[in-house]
Structures are given as structure tokens and as C-alpha cells.
Amino acid sequence: VISSPYEIAAAPVTPSAPVLSYAAPSCDEESVTVTFTPEDGVEYSLNADFAELLTGGSFEAVSGSTGFVYARTAGTTCVISSPYEIAAAPVTPSAPVLSYAAPSCDEASVTVSFTPEDGVEYSLNADFAELLTGGSFEAVSGSTGFVYARTAGTTCVISSPYEIAAAPVTPSAPVLSYAAPSCDE
């Protein structure tokens, strides 16, 4: 009798796919932080070839980007990945450029105008309870306020102030006093 031994190594184990966590970007935010809980004995990378490893369980992802976080059991080729998709950051609109003239004598109000942009809502109220349409509104002489602009469907708000001067007042007509002329005067 003769025998030959064999010993089969345990199969390397593919790690669990990383569970990614991230918030949608805020207004004009260029990137967001993506986090995951790293496991011992597992390497993580944004590249399938693991050319550069992630450390610490987080990385910055550009707004409007997509990609994968790859995980592999260290020293093996057992790889799994999790996708991420970062929404594009909503954009704050340009501040409205307001145009108005100083009120004329006794003028109760003036017209304030601006050029509305597509996809932007305008209001005289920060809560946008009532929207401005048409790119103009009447402002009372001697008043101040703001025109608020926001990208429709977002909370990306900017404002422009206005200050309307008080209207100059026409004075009362002078009361004239005089006597009738005397003889030969």
C-alpha cells in the first residue's frame, strides 16, 4: 500500500458589497462625501484594478457623477462592487437686475422691472407664497424690499434689494394778499 496526500486550500471569500451612504448635493455644491463601513481584511478602491486604495471609509464624489466602489478580500482576486450615482447639484440663479426710476412729484408708486430667466421663479416674499409674473411690479414710493429668485423646484434662492425714494411733494399754492389800488396809484 502506498498513498499520496492532498490538501485543498479553503476558497478565498468574496467580501460583502460595501453599503454606500450619501446625501444629494445642496445648491451649487461641487461634491458630496460618500461613506461606507470598511471590513477588516478587505481592500476598497474606486478603480477595478485597485491601483489606488480608499482608506477611512469615505471619499469625495463630484456632483453629477456616477461610479463604483470595488471591494476585494486582501491578497485575492475576489471582487465585488457597489454603484453610486450623485445627482447634479441644483444651481442658484443669477440675482435679478432691477430697474426703476425715482418717483415724480406726488407719484404714489413706480414700476420696478427685471428680465426673468427661464426656469426661475420670482417673488417679493422669501417664502414664495405669491409669484411675480411678467418681469415687473409696482413699488410704493418711499419703500424698500427685495425681489427673491429661485431655481424652480429647488431651495436655491438669491435676492436683489430695491429702495424707492419718497416722491417729492408739490407744495400748496401760495395765498396771495394785496389791496385794491388807490386813486392814481
Side-chain angles (χ1 to χ4, degrees):
V1 175
I2 193 168
S3 66
S4 295
Y6 66 89
E7 185 176 344
I8 309 299
V13 177
T14 301
S16 301
V19 177
L20 308 179
S21 176
Y22 51 90
S26 300
C27 299
D28 307 311
E29 196 170 19
E30 293 181 6
S31 64
V32 297
T33 301
V34 179
T35 61
F36 59 92
T37 303
E39 295 179 23
D40 290 339
V42 178
E43 296 173 326
Y44 299 91
S45 180
L46 297 177
N47 311 90
D49 64 0
F50 286 82
E52 190 175 322
L53 298 180
L54 292 173
T55 58
S58 69
F59 65 95
E60 290 296 308
V62 175
S63 297
S65 69
T66 61
F68 292 89
V69 175
Y70 297 92
R72 76 175 172 194
T73 303
T76 74
T77 57
C78 301
V79 177
I80 196 167
S81 65
S82 293
Y84 65 86
E85 183 173 353
I86 310 299
V91 178
T92 301
S94 301
V97 177
L98 307 179
S99 176
Y100 51 91
S104 301
C105 297
D106 305 314
E107 195 172 18
S109 65
V110 297
T111 300
V112 178
S113 62
F114 58 92
T115 302
E117 295 178 27
D118 289 340
V120 178
E121 298 172 324
Y122 299 91
S123 180
L124 297 177
N125 311 84
D127 64 0
F128 287 81
E130 190 175 321
L131 298 180
L132 292 173
T133 57
S136 67
F137 64 95
E138 291 297 308
V140 175
S141 297
S143 69
T144 61
F146 292 90
V147 175
Y148 298 91
R150 74 174 173 195
T151 303
T154 73
T155 58
C156 303
V157 176
I158 195 166
S159 64
S160 294
Y162 65 86
E163 183 173 353
I164 309 300
V169 177
T170 302
S172 301
V175 177
L176 307 178
S177 176
Y178 52 90
S182 302
C183 295
D184 303 320
E185 197 170 11

